């Protein structure tokens, strides 16, 4: 019995084997070599296929035509010219691959023994020289990539001892990363302002039996949520391996292969708003320098837009997959498991109230400035009406509900200044608030229940949340569970002190008394 060791795909991928030579086997020694086959017709067909493959290889390599139909001589020729070891993944033009291609045809369908799904063994194999190939592969799912076909596996079976065969293959992978604002690390989650440009990197690997393929399709597919807009331009960079690629985040040291990939026109799902773009190399074999160890990186930029989902619990999803040739004998393709990253943006609802009555106050004006951010180029800029940043201050004015709402804020620290208070009210002193970076929290292993929104200097006039409706104490205290709203925005409440003129009596009479007394004194 020959068992195929495939821990990942053994329950869904099937294999097949065909005997080429019968022989008496003693350890690694074979003798009495004959053509295999259930009958004379099968034996003749196998003989012709093998001899033709050897002859084609010989002619192509300028070694002359091969014509011998003797099984022993064919075996001797293979032993002399194959030049393989137990770990060799034969190349596309190798003689053993040519033999496999000729035998892997409908003409020999009745000569192959095939495993059944879930049973990855072939029992009762007779002694001799066998070829094993993949018969069918697992189709893949959201948690598993579609399997690839093995390179041809040739082995000697002694007809007595059970044997384990390891398929010669690996499945390509894709990893998607977001480059941090400072450009010094890559993240699975990031925080951005509306309109802020963010770099995304897609890392693709290649099957380790790449040499077995004559042509090799290689296509990155990227899906942006409706809250992200793809920017023009991309780069494709080739590296000797994935480690080198990931050590060069900004991709200045690899080989530029952008011209080998074609970017598709973006398509949009009208139901979900998801936008899909592909970058395709129709035949990676035509790209100089690519090996089974190579890593190819697609880099592009995208921006958060006004349709983005707001809040700390619902990021804007961004996924990538890789489609690849998965069968060296045909033009079949496989697809990897999607790899997902998320881009977050936040929204502020600033509520203005009377400090004494906690009633909403319209007509207060505020500016919001970036005080500190991971991207230092944003510092000193002002939040505009649509959440973008600009060099000039924009005055937000509270409506009848005493509130202003702005969406599209990134992580960082902001300074809020009340530039105009409602009539008969004193302005509140300027204050700072901070939105903590989700990605940094995850990287530091902070508790997910830690505060996301923080006031730099808490006071009785400014709180995170909405008031508890306890009036008359001239201070604000937040009601429980009012930090965030259903639309993902978070609350800051500001209380202004009203200037009140109380009614006065008796002042004129006292003044007259003093005047009269002074006059009497003067007369005296």
């Amino acid at each position: 019995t020959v068992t195929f060791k495939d821990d990942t795909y053994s329950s869904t991928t099937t294999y097949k084997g065909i005997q080429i030579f019968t022989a008496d086997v003693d350890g690694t020694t074979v003798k009495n070599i004959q053509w295999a086959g259930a009958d004379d017709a099968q034996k003749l067909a196998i003989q012709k296929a093998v001899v033709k493959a050897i002859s084609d290889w010989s002619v192509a390599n300028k070694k002359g035509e091969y014509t011998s139909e003797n099984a022993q001589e064919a075996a001797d020729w293979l032993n002399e010219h194959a030049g393989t070891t137990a770990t060799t993944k034969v190349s596309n033009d190798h003689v053993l691959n040519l033999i496999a291609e000729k035998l892997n045809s409908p003409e020999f369908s009745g000569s192959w023994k095939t495993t059944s799904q879930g049973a990855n063994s072939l029992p009762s194999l007779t002694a001799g020289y066998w070829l094993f190939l993949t018969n069918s592969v697992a189709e893949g799912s959201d948690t598993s990539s579609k399997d690839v076909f093995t390179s041809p596996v040739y082995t000697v079976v002694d007809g007595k001892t059970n044997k384990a065969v390891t398929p010669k293959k690996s499945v390509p992978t894709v990893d998607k990363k977001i480059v941090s604002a400072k450009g010094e690390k890559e993240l699975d989650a990031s925080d951005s302002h509306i309109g802020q440009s963010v770099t995304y990197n897609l890392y693709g690997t290649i099957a380790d039996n790449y040499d077995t393929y004559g042509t090799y399709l290689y296509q990155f597919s990227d899906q942006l949520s409706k809250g992200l807009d793809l920017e023009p331009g991309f780069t494709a960079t080739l590296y000797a391996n994935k480690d080198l690629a990931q050590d060069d985040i900004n991709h200045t040291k690899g080989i530029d292969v952008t011209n080998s990939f074609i970017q598709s026109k973006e398509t949009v799902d009208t139901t979900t708003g998801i936008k899909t773009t592909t970058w395709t190399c129709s035949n990676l074999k035509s790209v100089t320098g690519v090996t089974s160890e190579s890593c190819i990186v697609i880099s592009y930029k995208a921006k958060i837009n006004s349709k983005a989902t707001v809040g700390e619990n619902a990021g804007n999803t961004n996924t990538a997959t890789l489609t690849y040739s998965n069968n060296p004998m045909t033009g079949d393709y496989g697809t990897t498991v999607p790899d997902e990253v998320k881009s977050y943006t936040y929204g502020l609802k600033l509520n203005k109230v009377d400090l004494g009555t906690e009633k909403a106050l319209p007509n207060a004006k505020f500016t919001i400035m970036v005080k500190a951010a991971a991207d230092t180029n944003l510092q000193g800029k002002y939040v505009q009406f649509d959440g973008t940043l600009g060099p000039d201050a924009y005055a937000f004015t509270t409506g009848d509900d005493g509130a202003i709402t702005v969406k599209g804020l990134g992580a960082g620290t902001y300074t809020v200044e009340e530039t105009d208070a409602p009539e008969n009210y004193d302005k509140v002193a300027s204050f700072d608030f901070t939105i903590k970076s989700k990605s940094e929290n995850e990287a530091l292993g902070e508790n997910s229940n830690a505060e996301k929104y923080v006031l730099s200097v808490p006071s009785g006039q400014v709180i995170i949340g909405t008031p508890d409706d306890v009036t008359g104490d001239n201070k604000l205290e937040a009601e429980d569970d009012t930090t965030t709203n259903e639309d993902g925005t978070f609350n800051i409440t500001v209380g202004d002190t009203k200037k009140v003129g109380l009614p006065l009596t008796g002042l004129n009479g006292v003044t007259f008394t003093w005047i009269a007394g002074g006059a009497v004194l003067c007369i005296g």
Side-chain angles (χ1 to χ4, degrees), residues 411-489:
T413 299
Y414 298 81
T415 297
V416 178
E417 180 182 357
E418 185 175 10
T419 57
D420 291 288
E423 187 176 0
N424 296 324
Y425 282 87
D426 288 329
K427 294 185 290 186
V428 72
S430 297
F431 63 91
D432 296 341
F433 70 88
T434 298
I435 302 173
K436 289 186 178 180
S437 170
K438 187 174 185 71
S439 55
E440 288 181 7
N441 288 351
E442 291 174 350
L444 296 173
E446 293 184 9
N447 190 318
S448 60
N449 294 322
E451 289 183 299
K452 178 71 179 176
Y453 313 103
V454 181
L455 289 172
S456 299
V457 182
S459 71
Q461 279 190 268
V462 183
I463 59 172
I464 299 287
T466 57
D468 58 4
D469 292 330
V470 176
T471 61
D473 55 1
N474 288 313
K475 66 178 181 179
L476 298 178
E477 292 184 352
E479 187 176 354
D480 292 342
D481 300 324
T482 59
T483 301
T484 57
N485 302 300
E486 289 185 1
D487 63 357
T489 58

Side-chain angles (χ1 to χ4, degrees), residues 139 145-148 171-175 202-207 210 213 215-223 261 276-284 296 298 319-327 331-339:
E139 286 302 308
S145 301
K146 186 172 182 178
D147 195 12
V148 299
V171 177
T173 61
V174 66
D175 288 319
L202 312 181
Y203 292 87
T205 63
I206 298 168
Y210 174 71
Y213 291 80
T215 60
Y216 199 83
L217 175 84
Y218 203 70
Q219 181 185 79
F220 292 90
S221 179
D222 192 85
Q223 293 78 42
F261 285 81
T276 300
T277 302
T278 62
W279 294 272
T280 305
C281 178
S282 59
N283 184 16
L284 201 59
I296 296 176
I298 296 291
T319 63
T321 57
L322 181 67
T323 299
Y324 46 87
S325 292
N326 77 330
N327 188 349
D332 293 343
Y333 306 129
T335 303
T336 63
V337 176
D339 194 45

Side-chain angles (χ1 to χ4, degrees), residues 483-497:
T483 301
T484 57
N485 302 300
E486 289 185 1
D487 63 357
T489 58
F490 71 97
N491 289 301
I492 289 181
T493 302
V494 178
D496 276 1
T497 302

